[in-house]
Amino acid sequence: FTNSGTTHLSGRVGGSSRHDKFNAADHVVGEVLPYQNQQVSVTLGGPIPKEKLDFFGNYEYEREPDVAVYTTPYPHLNRTFDATNSEKKAGGRVDLQFSPRTRLAVRGSGSCSDNPAPGSSTTAPSKGCSALSSPACCTSTVSCVACIQ
């Protein structure tokens, strides 16, 4: 995560976007299916007092459509279902150096996933906590490690 003893602040910002206006028509349905996907990520790390306390943090966000189109020979049964899945992830770490032989590291991470169509064919534990839970689901972890040499 972080480089203990680093002497400068650094980070990155990135993102990508896809839009259906650049897509061709679906060969089964005969029309362009709605699609807009956005992804953003940010990282930042560096020292607080130089060579004693270092930190690192990250954040990711993704928004993705979940479109299902059902076509049959019976027009009254044809349906399009659309929903938007979103996922947010964050993490952080702090390294504290008490002496050249004694260090402490604390890190944590968390994520929230929102799938507004639970029970659909795309619902899986990776899209939320479980198929039986509510559409929005959040998890987090924290750990601490001490090194004494």
Side-chain angles (χ1 to χ4, degrees), residues 14-22 34-41 59-66 83-89:
S16 67
S17 179
R18 286 181 55 193
H19 197 284
D20 57 18
K21 68 182 176 183
F22 300 111
Y35 190 84
Q36 291 185 27
N37 178 284
Q38 292 86 34
Q39 297 176 351
V40 176
S41 64
Y59 177 78
E60 296 176 39
Y61 172 76
E62 180 175 10
R63 180 184 173 278
E64 180 177 32
D66 188 7
T84 301
N85 299 327
S86 66
E87 191 168 358
K88 299 173 186 172
K89 299 177 186 176

Side-chain angles (χ1 to χ4, degrees), residues 1-73:
F1 271 115
T2 180
N3 217 358
S4 292
T6 186
T7 59
H8 65 280
L9 186 67
S10 64
R12 281 193 177 165
V13 175
S16 67
S17 179
R18 286 181 55 193
H19 197 284
D20 57 18
K21 68 182 176 183
F22 300 111
N23 292 354
D26 182 81
H27 69 281
V28 174
V29 180
E31 62 184 57
V32 175
L33 299 178
Y35 190 84
Q36 291 185 27
N37 178 284
Q38 292 86 34
Q39 297 176 351
V40 176
S41 64
V42 177
T43 62
L44 182 64
I48 296 178
K50 291 186 179 182
E51 299 182 16
K52 293 290 182 190
L53 182 64
D54 296 299
F55 75 95
F56 175 83
N58 68 298
Y59 177 78
E60 296 176 39
Y61 172 76
E62 180 175 10
R63 180 184 173 278
E64 180 177 32
D66 188 7
V67 178
V69 177
Y70 297 95
T71 58
T72 69

Side-chain angles (χ1 to χ4, degrees), residues 1 56 58 90-94 106-110 140-143:
F1 271 115
F56 175 83
N58 68 298
R93 176 173 169 159
V94 175
V106 179
R107 67 180 172 198
S109 64
S140 63
T141 61
V142 175
S143 63

Side-chain angles (χ1 to χ4, degrees), residues 112-132:
C112 283
S113 185
D114 185 13
N115 181 352
S120 72
S121 62
T122 58
T123 300
S126 62
K127 292 274 190 175
C129 287
S130 76
L132 300 175

Side-chain angles (χ1 to χ4, degrees), residues 90-104:
R93 176 173 169 159
V94 175
D95 290 337
L96 178 59
Q97 182 175 338
F98 295 104
S99 72
R101 298 176 53 139
T102 308
R103 295 173 184 233
L104 175 67

